[in-house]
Amino acid sequence: MRAARLIRMALLVQSSPGLTADALARELDVSRRTVIRDAQALQEAGVPIRSERGRAGGYHLAPGHRTRLTTLHPTEAETLYLSGLPTALRDLGLSDAADTARLKLSATLLPSLRAAAESSVRRFHLDAPAWFREPSAPELLPELARAVWSDRTVELDYARPGRDGAPPRTVTRLLEPYGLVLKAGVWYVVGRVPAERATGRDGVWRTYRVDRVTALSAAPGTAGPFVRDPSFDLAAHWRAHAAGFARALLRTTVTVRLTGPGLRRLPAVADPAGVAVALASESTTAPDAAGRVTLDLPVESEDVAFGQLTGLGADVEVLAPASLRARFREHARALAAVYAAEPEDRGR
């Protein structure tokens, strides 16, 4: 374990000169004291690593020195071929570049490692989109990805979902796009509102669904790339805010009465975060004499609730809001009219 850590530390310092002891400790998941001891061990092994103080300080290798620790282990070669999602690369417009990179990598590997790497492709396939959803890349995703790569501030038009059945409303936002996240087949852009436009000193972080971005252009008045916060960690940011973001989408509450089968099937049709909140709420009733439970279910909108809850058929009854109950009533009447008579003869 320590040998692998020393190799990784040497490669980190080579690829990112100036990393501090604290930064290396975070990357290697060890203490600051361990980093200092490992640096001494590397020096004793002949690796000219040194620590410098000041604004341009941190750990550096001697000028012109490069480690020769880049030979891949078979497992590492296999992992490289699993590091990207084929559908994600295609959506981003990078599939050709990824294919070329894999060919170049294969050409540089020893024959034994090349076979190990290529075998992973035959054994594993990563499919990101959720079931029962036709995967489609948002039209503006490649352009937005280019803005992420180039640290270019953008102006985007965003179709914000309406509340309580209201139609979407288009808003215009300036955004410094820091990264893209693929979650269950849906692309999101994570970015920061430019500081001068935000109420907070350091700007405000925002997350938008890419498929709701209807227009995208370079932000007016910006001549060059924005200054990226070097401490920003996209994966850590997403983990910290994903749960809260999911809850924030649930801006409407509907009151429903469910049969036993309907309650069991509810997590399969509604948002899991909303179902969890509803089941934990004190307002959820105990089963009545017929085994039905009444609960307040957080949902994204009435439109979304209608689409989700119709899948439960007669195992759900919408009690509130009145507008959604009326919509289900009309839906029931339309279904009754369709099924009141036998199918028309189709000449068979």
Side-chain angles (χ1 to χ4, degrees):
M1 288 290 292
R2 191 190 184 202
R5 189 177 71 240
L6 290 172
I7 292 174
R8 189 178 175 203
M9 180 175 173
L11 292 173
L12 283 170
V13 174
Q14 176 175 297
S15 61
S16 303
L19 286 174
T20 64
D22 290 335
L24 285 167
R26 288 192 296 270
E27 288 287 342
L28 300 171
D29 196 23
V30 295
S31 67
R32 188 175 187 275
R33 180 174 296 181
T34 299
V35 167
I36 296 172
R37 287 200 300 264
D38 285 352
Q40 293 173 344
L42 285 170
Q43 290 173 345
E44 293 170 358
V47 178
I49 186 173
R50 66 180 188 274
S51 176
E52 299 178 358
R53 296 184 177 181
R55 179 175 296 181
Y59 281 93
H60 297 262
L61 295 177
H65 179 85
R66 295 187 65 81
T67 68
R68 291 183 173 86
L69 303 173
T70 52
T71 300
L72 292 176
H73 184 276
T75 303
E76 295 168 339
E78 292 168 355
T79 304
L80 281 176
Y81 277 70
L82 294 176
S83 60
L85 296 172
T87 53
L89 293 171
R90 182 193 63 217
D91 291 350
L92 292 169
L94 298 174
S95 57
D96 289 343
D99 290 341
T100 302
R102 280 191 289 268
L103 286 173
K104 289 181 178 180
L105 176 61
S106 294
T108 62
L109 295 175
L110 295 173
S112 59
L113 292 178
R114 191 179 308 138
E118 293 174 351
S119 70
S120 66
V121 178
R122 295 191 293 269
R123 287 171 169 79
F124 300 98
H125 176 71
L126 307 177
D127 188 10
W131 284 106
F132 311 118
R133 178 183 297 165
E134 184 66 27
S136 60
E139 180 180 352
L140 295 174
L141 178 61
E143 185 178 349
L144 189 54
R146 288 191 289 271
V148 170
W149 278 114
S150 59
D151 294 336
R152 175 166 52 91
T153 304
V154 297
E155 182 178 81
L156 55 85
D157 290 345
Y158 188 73
R160 173 179 287 175
R163 297 189 178 186
D164 302 326
R169 180 171 62 92
T170 299
V171 296
T172 301
R173 294 288 184 265
L174 286 183
L175 190 71
E176 297 173 347
Y178 268 62
L180 291 162
V181 176
L182 179 61
K183 171 71 172 179
V186 179
W187 283 98
Y188 297 88
V189 58
V190 177
R192 186 172 61 175
V193 176
E196 63 272 17
R197 297 296 185 95
T199 56
R201 192 172 113 188
D202 296 325
V204 179
W205 294 99
R206 292 286 184 262
T207 300
Y208 298 107
R209 280 183 60 145
V210 179
D211 59 1
R212 292 177 181 163
V213 176
T214 58
L216 183 70
S217 61
T222 55
F226 61 84
V227 179
R228 177 177 283 262
D229 182 353
S231 66
F232 178 77
D233 184 324
L234 178 61
H237 176 88
W238 182 262
R239 285 193 302 268
H241 291 81
F245 174 62
R247 289 193 297 269
L249 290 176
L250 307 177
R251 296 184 292 263
T252 302
T253 299
V254 299
T255 303
V256 295
R257 181 183 290 134
L258 296 151
T259 64
L263 184 62
R264 289 192 294 272
R265 291 168 53 204
L266 184 62
V269 299
D271 189 283
V275 174
V277 170
L279 295 178
S281 174
E282 295 181 356
S283 63
T284 299
T285 68
D288 61 15
R292 298 176 302 177
V293 171
T294 300
L295 53 81
D296 295 326
L297 178 66
V299 294
E300 185 172 346
S301 66
E302 286 192 22
D303 281 341
V304 171
F306 180 78
Q308 292 173 339
L309 297 177
T310 50
L312 297 180
D315 287 317
V316 64
E317 177 187 2
V318 174
L319 304 179
S323 56
L324 184 59
R325 182 176 176 87
R327 188 170 177 179
F328 269 88
R329 185 185 301 116
E330 291 302 316
H331 179 66
R333 287 172 179 166
L335 282 177
V338 168
Y339 288 99
E342 292 299 318
E344 295 180 2
D345 184 8
R346 296 184 180 181
R348 294 179 182 175

